[in-house]
């Protein structure tokens, strides 16, 4: 195999001219006869790496192993995986292997195959980015987001053009591509900012939502300016007639996408049953349209990267079509093809071009840095003028200047297509690596959304007066949670003198879209037909409110966000609504025989996050067990003809148990509720961990309980955990609801010997014991934790 490479550069005022001659072997060797066959034949010309198939596999293995090694070292510094992928490419590039024969860079044929696989991943990534974007949100963006998104693109662009003009006064702003490149420097990339916010886990925080809205506006402005710059450049170089032809064909392409392809995809969605899966045929048709889009963009004279992105924008976001595309394609694209593309971008990097850089390349580098600084200043000043906190404004400014895979991929493709020279590409690679490395670290230092959850006042049930409205939040994941929550409140026999303000938060997994949603249903005049989130939840709680008029007021909200960030929505709502108590559903449900009906580990992770961060008290509701196959057995808390509801409180002392007792007193004011307080006392006080302050508070609360004639007080002396367990097993079937304190990391004589058998730390030792298979019954459990985070 032989190749010759000759390059010639102008000063940047004209098109870059490079010619490359590559000799390839035909027919190409793809599939090897096998390692054993090659070793047996011992043919010097037959080597395993001469076949593109096994060579590609080995290259992928080397890339991923090297990337993970680098990332394991850099992630401690807070650097993103993208930087590790780029550095892996640089380490495998001709910079270290000057003879151009590294393991990855064996031959031109080898590089072309690897580059093709990576480029396919990048085009797929652009398509999926379009699928996730919802352009309708631009109409709902606030003035702050619109100003930030618009000004952070236009103002830096003007400064960049002015800087380059002053550095090179004899140049023409359009014929030398300066305007087009200036747009790429000042542009904002929505996918890059979305990826940054997701990695920092602030996607649905207040700052994250503002950043996403501004990025969406900025990305659209960047797209329009990029297309405009290409049209202007065409008009200057080829004439106004050719430019008008490009404009007409591009508009025709958009018309076909909007008025032909999108209606077809909406028709597919309408044919899909509610909450059903999109048909495979529809899925493959959309993928086929995507595969053909680069060819169509060539016919319509549209930049080929815009075709897949625009087609993605036409796909209805969210379920069922958008979510199906993202769920099926995103794992393999983000996990396999896109990392290969990022590494191939690093393979193109060659610092030797710094020595031979032209004046034009230096001017472009200076213009890019100036643009970055002006973009940062504009992104900082606008929030400050809107009276945003200084630290948050700095964090937002760094978010808006972030660079990533989109910019890296764009410059790599422009370099391959001879739009920019190697020296410009080298300069831009350095800028991207520096910005992408620094921004995540600084944003993480500046912005901590959990700070606002620190309260200056106690938001607990104990600190709420009995005749004062109690503000609660109930979280809903699945339909069965609705009935459990309603039955819980029905069991408490709501009364007007002790009213409840209930905020119901329906948590929906974000799928098929990039932007989280938070919907206040009481503020909507009508439900959108294509976004029927929580419709059944709203109807059920509206009926519940009518049945308990003046005793309870209900507001229903829907949060559509990633499961690992749902705690942000819950905590933000609790802060905004001055909530005293949050009710979370347990992640597991059982049948009556102790077998598991359903289990969701994402819900368990969410519960842990809330327990650590919540600005108020929390309760985890463990549903009563049901008959096998989910038959219509009556819920233990459901309304029945009995005259009373039997509720028990397990009390051992401590702040969580006091909060549980305060809740029980609150819901037992009605005469139809029979409350029993079971106080477990240690027969031997040795080993007790309660402080003197805790004992005083416990005694004060229990003295009121002992004097009350409206409830039953039972004092039980126990030696250890097994004795406590035996007693509980004998009495649990007498109650429909049992309330216990979580008492996390608090073990005393009453629970000694039970800690090592505790499976679910989030519900504490007693909660875990009562929910175990050893305790057969239809009672429900409510595990209470008092507010932890106060200043």
């Amino acid at each position: 195999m032989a190749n010759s490479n000759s390059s010639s550069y102008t000063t940047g005022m004209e098109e870059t001219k490079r010619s490359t001659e590559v000799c390839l072997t035909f027919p190409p060797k793809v599939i090897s006869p096998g390692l054993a066959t090659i070793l047996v034949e011992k043919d010097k010309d037959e080597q395993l790496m001469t076949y593109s198939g096994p060579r590609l596999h080995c290259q992928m293995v080397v890339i991923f192993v090297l990337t993970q090694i680098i990332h394991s070292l850099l992630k401690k510094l807070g650097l993103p995986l993208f930087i590790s992928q780029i550095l892996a490419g640089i380490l495998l590039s001709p910079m270290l292997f000057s003879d151009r024969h590294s393991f990855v860079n064996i031959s031109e044929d080898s590089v072309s195959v690897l580059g093709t696989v990576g480029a396919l991943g990048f085009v797929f990534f652009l398509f999926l980015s379009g699928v996730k974007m919802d352009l309708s949100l631009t109409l709902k963006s606030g003035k702050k987001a619109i100003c930030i998104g618009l000004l952070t693109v236009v103002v830096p662009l003007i400064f960049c053009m002015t800087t380059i003009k002053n550095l090179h006064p004899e140049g023409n702003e359009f014929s030398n591509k300066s305007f087009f490149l200036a747009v790429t420097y000042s542009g904002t990339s929505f996918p890059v900012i979305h990826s940054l916010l997701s990695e920092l886990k602030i996607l649905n925080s207040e700052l994250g939502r503002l950043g996403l809205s501004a990025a969406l506006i900025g990305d659209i402005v960047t797209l329009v300016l990029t297309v405009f710059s290409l049209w202007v450049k065409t008009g200057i170089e080829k004439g106004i007639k050719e430019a008008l032809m490009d404009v007409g064909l591009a508009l025709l392409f958009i018309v076909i996408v909007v008025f032909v392809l999108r209606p077809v995809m909406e028709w597919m969605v309408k044919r899909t049953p509610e909450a059903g899966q999109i048909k495979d045929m529809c899925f493959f048709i959309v993928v086929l349209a995507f595969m053909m889009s680069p060819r169509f963009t060539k016919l319509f004279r549209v930049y080929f990267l815009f075709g897949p992105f625009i087609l993605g924008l036409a796909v209805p976001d969210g379920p069922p079509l958008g979510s199906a595309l993202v769920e099926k394609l995103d794992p393999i694209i983000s996990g396999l093809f896109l990392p290969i593309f990022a590494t191939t971008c690093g393979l193109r990097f060659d610092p030797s071009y710094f020595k031979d850089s032209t004046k034009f390349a230096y001017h472009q580098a200076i213009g890019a840095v100036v643009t970055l600084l002006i973009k940062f200043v504009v992104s900082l000043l606008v929030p400050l003028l809107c009276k945003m906190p200084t630290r948050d404004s700095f964090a937002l400014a760094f978010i808006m200047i972030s660079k990533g895979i989109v910019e890296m991929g764009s410059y790599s493709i422009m370099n391959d297509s001879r739009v920019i020279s190697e020296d410009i590409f080298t300069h831009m690679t350095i800028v991207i690596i520096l910005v992408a490395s620094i921004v995540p670290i600084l944003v993480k230092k500046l912005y901590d959304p959990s700070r606002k959850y620190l309260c200056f006042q106690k938001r607990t049930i104990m600190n709420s007066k009995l005749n004062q409205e109690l503000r609660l939040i109930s979280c809903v994941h699945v339909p069965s949670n609705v009935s459990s929550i309603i039955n819980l409140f029905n069991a408490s026999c709501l009364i007007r003198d002790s009213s409840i303000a209930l905020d119901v938060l329906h948590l929906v997994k974000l799928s098929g879209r990039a932007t989280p949603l938070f919907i206040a249903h009481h503020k909507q005049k009508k439900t959108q037909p294509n976004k029927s989130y929580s419709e059944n939840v709203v109807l059920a709680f509206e009926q519940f409110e009518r049945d308990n008029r003046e005793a309870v007021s209900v507001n229903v909200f829907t949060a559509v966000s990633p499961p690992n960030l749902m705690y942000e929505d819950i905590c933000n709502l609790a802060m905004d609504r001055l909530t005293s108590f949050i009710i979370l559903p347990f992640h597991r449900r059982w049948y009556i025989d102790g077998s598991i009906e359903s289990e969701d580990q994402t819900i368990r992770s969410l519960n842990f996050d809330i327990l650590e961060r919540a600005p108020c008290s929390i309760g985890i509701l463990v549903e009563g067990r049901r008959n096998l196959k989910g038959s219509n057995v009556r819920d233990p808390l459901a309304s029945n003809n009995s005259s009373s509801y039997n509720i028990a409180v397990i009390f051992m002392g401590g702040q969580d148990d006091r909060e549980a007792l305060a809740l029980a007193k609150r819901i037992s004011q009605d005469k139809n509720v029979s409350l029993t307080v079971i106080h477990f006392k240690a027969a031997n006080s040795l080993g007790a961990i309660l402080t003197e302050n805790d004992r005083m508070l416990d005694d004060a609360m229990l003295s009121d309980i002992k004097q009350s004639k409206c409830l039953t007080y039972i004092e039980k002396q126990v030696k250890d955990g097994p004795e406590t367990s035996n007693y509980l097993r004998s009495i649990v079937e007498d109650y429909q609801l049992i309330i216990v304190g979580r008492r996390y990391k608090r073990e005393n004589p009453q629970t000694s010997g039970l800690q090592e058998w505790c499976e679910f730390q989030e519900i504490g030792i007693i909660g875990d014991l009562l929910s175990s298979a050893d305790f057969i019954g239809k009672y429900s459990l409510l595990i209470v934790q008092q507010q932890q985070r106060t200043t």
Side-chain angles (χ1 to χ4, degrees), residues 315-351:
V315 176
D317 64 293
L321 182 56
S323 59
L325 289 168
V326 172
E327 289 174 0
K328 293 182 179 180
L329 297 178
D330 195 54
I332 190 171
I333 299 303
S334 300
L336 178 63
F337 291 108
L338 201 60
I340 292 176
F341 178 73
T343 304
T344 58
C345 292
L347 283 170
R348 295 174 172 87
F349 179 78
D350 191 347

Side-chain angles (χ1 to χ4, degrees), residues 3 32 38 54 147 173 185 210 220 233 242 280 315 325 348 519 557 559 573 578 597 649 667 682 718 741 751 769 791:
N3 70 80
S32 71
I38 294 176
C147 290
E173 286 83 353
Y185 305 152
L210 177 60
I220 294 172
K233 183 172 178 294
E242 287 294 319
D280 290 342
V315 176
L325 289 168
R348 295 174 172 87
I519 305 169
F557 303 86
L573 183 62
L578 303 177
E597 179 187 357
V649 178
I667 66 177
V718 292
T751 58
L769 177 68
T791 56

Side-chain angles (χ1 to χ4, degrees), residues 60 97 156 158 192 233 239 307 309 412 492 524 580 594 641 652 675 695 698:
M60 292 167 62
F97 297 91
I158 295 173
V192 170
K233 183 172 178 294
F309 181 70
S412 295
S492 64
Q524 291 187 330
S580 298
N641 296 325
M652 295 183 185
L675 176 62
R695 289 195 186 95
D698 290 345

Side-chain angles (χ1 to χ4, degrees), residues 720-731:
D720 51 24
E723 188 173 349
T724 301
S725 176
N726 292 333
Y727 180 79
L728 289 175
R729 188 180 290 107
S730 66
I731 57 99

Side-chain angles (χ1 to χ4, degrees), residues 473-476 503-507 518 557-559 569-570 573:
I473 290 178
S474 293
C475 298
V476 173
D503 294 322
V504 179
L505 183 58
H506 186 200
L507 298 165
F518 192 86
F557 303 86
T558 296
D569 296 303
I570 300 172
L573 183 62

Side-chain angles (χ1 to χ4, degrees), residues 353-644:
Y353 285 101
F354 276 119
K355 301 177 182 178
D356 302 323
S357 293
T358 61
K359 283 187 177 180
F360 180 72
Y362 281 123
H363 294 165
Q364 290 298 319
I366 294 172
V369 173
V370 170
T371 304
L372 199 66
L373 294 176
I374 298 300
K375 190 179 181 75
F376 177 82
V377 172
V378 174
S379 303
L380 176 64
L381 290 179
V382 175
L384 288 176
L385 293 175
C386 296
K387 299 182 179 180
M388 183 183 288
T390 304
R391 290 177 66 93
D392 292 0
S393 299
F394 271 96
L396 180 62
F398 282 113
I399 289 171
M400 295 306 296
I401 67 169
S402 58
K403 304 289 182 182
I405 188 64
V406 173
E407 290 82 7
M408 194 75 228
S410 300
Y411 290 126
S412 295
I413 291 174
M414 285 191 287
N415 179 42
D416 292 344
S417 56
R418 310 302 193 248
V419 175
I420 62 173
S421 58
E422 293 279 5
D423 47 359
I424 293 179
F425 173 76
T426 303
H427 287 299
M428 292 303 102
T429 300
I430 293 296
V431 171
I432 292 172
I433 291 176
L434 291 177
V435 173
S437 300
I438 295 172
V439 165
I441 299 174
L442 295 179
V443 173
K444 204 168 187 178
K445 292 285 186 183
L446 290 168
Y447 186 69
D448 180 12
S450 64
R451 289 179 310 182
K452 60 185 177 184
Y453 304 147
L454 293 172
C455 298
F456 293 94
Q457 60 182 1
K458 280 283 188 178
R459 291 186 180 175
T460 65
I461 298 175
M462 285 186 63
N463 292 87
S464 301
K465 297 180 181 179
L466 287 177
N467 58 354
Q468 183 182 11
E469 184 181 60
L470 181 63
R471 308 194 69 88
L472 306 177
I473 290 178
S474 293
C475 298
V476 173
H477 295 279
V478 293
S480 64
N481 297 151
V482 176
S483 58
S484 298
I485 292 168
I486 291 177
N487 291 333
L488 173 65
F489 287 108
N490 283 334
S492 64
C493 297
L494 301 170
I495 57 176
R496 297 179 184 178
D497 295 337
S498 183
S499 61
I500 289 177
L502 177 62
D503 294 322
V504 179
L505 183 58
H506 186 200
L507 298 165
V508 181
K509 179 184 176 182
L510 181 68
S511 179
R513 55 182 300 132
T515 310
L517 289 177
F518 192 86
I519 305 169
H521 292 280
H522 61 281
K523 294 182 179 180
Q524 291 187 330
K525 295 181 179 179
K526 60 180 182 178
T527 304
Q528 301 177 17
N530 60 332
K531 302 290 183 186
S532 56
Y533 295 112
S534 314
E535 186 173 354
N536 294 330
V537 177
V538 173
L539 294 175
F541 280 99
E542 284 180 349
Q543 182 62 46
F544 170 68
E545 184 178 20
R546 286 192 294 268
D547 295 340
N548 298 274
R549 194 175 300 276
E550 297 185 10
V552 61
S553 60
V554 180
N555 288 316
V556 181
F557 303 86
T558 296
V560 184
S561 58
N564 64 325
L565 300 179
M566 286 179 177
Y567 67 87
E568 283 275 359
D569 296 303
I570 300 172
C571 293
N572 287 335
L573 183 62
M575 292 291 293
D576 295 340
R577 305 287 289 180
L578 303 177
T579 303
S580 298
F581 194 67
I582 299 173
I583 301 176
L584 304 171
F586 193 53
H587 72 282
R588 178 183 287 185
R589 289 180 295 159
W590 291 270
Y591 288 121
I592 193 64
D593 66 344
S595 60
I596 298 174
E597 179 187 357
S598 63
E599 186 172 16
D600 191 338
Q601 289 299 323
T602 59
I603 296 179
R604 187 185 186 194
S605 299
L606 173 63
N607 289 347
F608 270 114
D609 291 334
I610 297 298
L611 289 168
E612 293 175 3
R613 296 175 171 87
C616 61
S617 296
I618 308 157
I620 297 181
L621 179 61
V622 182
E623 297 181 21
R625 298 178 182 179
R626 302 193 299 169
N627 281 350
L628 293 175
K629 308 303 180 185
S631 61
N632 296 325
V633 64
R634 188 179 299 276
D635 187 281
L637 295 175
S639 299
N640 51 47
N641 296 325
S642 62
S643 58
S644 67

